Amino acid sequence: MGRHQRAETSGLISFILCLMVAAVSMTLYMDNAPAIWLVTRRVFIVGSAAVAICGVLSFIVGYSRRSRSLSGGNGWWVPIRRVFEIIALSVVYAATIFLSIYAILAIMNDMMGVRIFSGYIPWVCGIFAGIAGYITFVQADLMDAKTIASLLPLFVMAGVSTAGLTTDDPYWWHNNFSQLGDRTTFAARMFNSTLILAGVCIIIISYFAISELRATHRMRLAWSASHRPAPKVDDLPQASGEVHHFRLRTTLLSVLLVCSGIAFIGIGSFRYSPHPILHNVFARGLPGLMCILLIGLPWLAPQLSKAMYVISDLAIALCAAAGVIWLEGANTLTNVEALAGLMFLGWFIVFSRQIAAIEADRVQAQLVFIQSASGHVDGDDPVMVESRLSADR
């Protein structure tokens, strides 16, 4: 079997194991937990946590087995970096799975009713755990920035939607989004936790994006230094040569992306009522960071396509127009904040997909370069060589 077929087969095995483990665990929990822990929301929390744990363990196994850098043969720093990547990605998957499953369980409970649905919870959680185990194992074997970024809006929408559906203030949207988290209720904690985890995920994904830009730049410099022509690969922008002030550009890009993530963390960490100044610093600083990042993108990341720059400018213009309409009294601040948040998340997904495309082109170019230099790659299957080039970035 080839790499992809082995990944799918292992994913099916993970599906069965995760399904059985989660179903048995939830059955034991429902039968032996004290009455206070059988309250609906607590059951959903435990069930979502069980699914998240199964999914994360499946991801760790799948991601670790494809990496050759944990052996220590490349020095002490490479295994440490790989362990950090595993932990960071596990946080992303755990947050995504937990919030998504909690939202789904809440919706199913509202549809079926507590008495009927409670009897199905162990096997529902088992099925979701199997699906999570299958998806995370396969994605771990085929991991790239595009896959990671696609998880971000999923759990953000799940967390915000769950908070909006469970809040005891039905008129929160008349003011602004901060009002949804400006309480001590479960819904407010869910909303604030979602923002904090979103900020953490943005920082983690930014790390992978910047790492890929640096890896691609090092490859181009190596080709230029060897005085050998770079391989001709379609759609590989700037296949050779140096980007002027590259270190300064990537440093500023990483600082802006990290600060955007910190702004999300700050908004969720400091509620408006007890901390109005700190809350406003992060909430009002985020649009400024977004403007600088999107407007300065052509200089910060010249490796991206021109369409990306156009989309960034259109996002700024659309948010500005929504802000003007709000100032005229024809719109609510909640709608403006929702639009800006969706625009930023959408832009971040497109940005990450651009980085993933650059990574795919780099791996292809390296493979072509090695094959053209030696005529073959030590008898290896090109697909396997491509896999190793991508895994050992």
Side-chain angles (χ1 to χ4, degrees):
M1 293 187 295
R3 172 194 173 195
H4 295 273
Q5 191 175 4
R6 287 197 302 270
E8 291 290 337
T9 302
S10 301
L12 291 175
I13 297 175
S14 177
F15 173 88
I16 297 173
L17 293 177
C18 290
L19 187 153
M20 298 305 299
V21 169
V24 172
S25 299
M26 287 304 298
T27 300
L28 294 175
Y29 172 81
M30 298 288 289
D31 293 340
N32 299 286
I36 190 62
W37 280 97
L38 293 178
V39 178
T40 303
R41 288 183 178 177
R42 293 192 176 186
V43 173
F44 291 172
I45 290 175
V46 174
S48 302
V51 176
I53 291 173
C54 290
V56 169
L57 291 178
S58 177
F59 168 79
I60 292 174
V61 173
Y63 194 77
S64 301
R65 79 181 187 93
R66 69 182 283 271
S67 176
R68 300 183 303 136
S69 57
L70 291 172
S71 60
N74 298 321
W76 62 271
W77 169 246
V78 176
I80 293 177
R81 189 191 70 176
R82 187 64 69 183
V83 170
F84 169 77
E85 291 179 1
I86 293 174
I87 295 174
L89 291 172
S90 297
V91 172
V92 176
Y93 272 101
T96 304
I97 295 172
F98 179 84
L99 293 174
S100 301
I101 297 302
Y102 187 95
I104 295 174
L105 292 177
I107 294 173
M108 295 178 66
N109 181 72
D110 292 339
M111 293 174 57
M112 300 177 62
V114 177
R115 292 186 177 182
I116 298 177
F117 184 61
S118 60
Y120 292 94
I121 288 178
W123 288 106
V124 169
C125 291
I127 292 173
F128 284 142
I131 295 173
Y134 171 79
I135 293 175
T136 54
F137 195 98
V138 174
Q139 287 186 346
D141 194 78
L142 308 173
M143 178 59 62
D144 57 21
K146 178 169 55 179
T147 302
I148 305 172
S150 63
L151 302 173
L152 182 60
L154 180 63
F155 90 86
V156 169
M157 288 187 291
V160 174
S161 300
T162 303
L165 291 173
T166 57
T167 182
D168 56 357
D169 181 12
Y171 302 104
W172 65 268
W173 55 275
H174 286 190
N175 191 3
N176 51 54
F177 259 125
S178 296
Q179 186 171 337
L180 182 58
D182 195 21
R183 290 169 175 264
T184 57
T185 60
F186 172 81
R189 293 191 183 97
M190 174 71 74
F191 176 76
N192 293 328
S193 300
T194 300
L195 292 181
I196 294 172
L197 291 172
V200 172
C201 292
I202 290 173
I203 295 173
I204 292 172
I205 298 171
S206 300
Y207 159 76
F208 285 97
I210 298 301
S211 297
E212 178 53 38
L213 289 178
R214 289 174 177 169
T216 303
H217 188 252
R218 285 197 302 268
M219 180 191 69
R220 294 167 181 162
L221 289 180
W223 281 340
S224 298
S226 64
H227 303 290
R228 299 183 62 179
K232 295 181 179 180
V233 180
D234 293 338
D235 301 325
L236 180 61
Q238 301 180 2
S240 62
E242 181 180 5
V243 177
H244 297 294
H245 307 294
F246 176 78
R247 180 171 297 180
L248 175 62
R249 296 184 188 198
T250 53
T251 300
L252 292 176
L253 178 61
S254 60
V255 168
L256 289 171
L257 290 172
V258 170
C259 287
S260 299
I262 293 175
F264 276 96
I265 296 174
I267 295 172
S269 300
F270 301 101
R271 294 186 292 113
Y272 179 80
S273 293
H275 310 286
I277 296 178
L278 286 174
H279 182 86
N280 285 335
V281 166
F282 291 108
R284 298 178 182 177
L286 181 59
L289 292 170
M290 290 171 55
C291 288
I292 296 174
L293 178 60
L294 270 62
I295 294 176
L297 192 63
W299 187 82
L300 294 170
Q303 304 92 330
L304 304 180
S305 64
K306 293 182 179 179
M308 182 68 184
Y309 308 139
V310 175
I311 291 175
S312 301
D313 294 337
L314 288 177
I316 292 294
L318 187 58
C319 292
V324 171
I325 296 174
W326 166 66
L327 292 175
E328 293 177 349
N331 197 0
T332 64
L333 181 57
T334 301
N335 291 336
V336 177
E337 292 175 335
L339 177 63
L342 290 175
M343 282 292 177
F344 181 77
L345 290 177
W347 174 87
F348 196 73
I349 294 171
V350 175
F351 170 76
S352 301
R353 292 180 69 88
Q354 288 275 318
I355 298 298
I358 292 175
E359 178 185 8
D361 288 336
R362 173 182 62 82
V363 172
Q364 182 182 3
Q366 285 179 289
L367 182 59
V368 173
F369 186 77
I370 294 173
Q371 289 178 329
S372 64
S374 60
H376 59 87
V377 191
D378 299 330
D380 285 341
D381 182 0
V383 176
M384 298 302 297
V385 176
E386 181 179 354
S387 173
R388 291 201 298 268
L389 290 172
S390 179
D392 300 326
R393 181 176 61 222

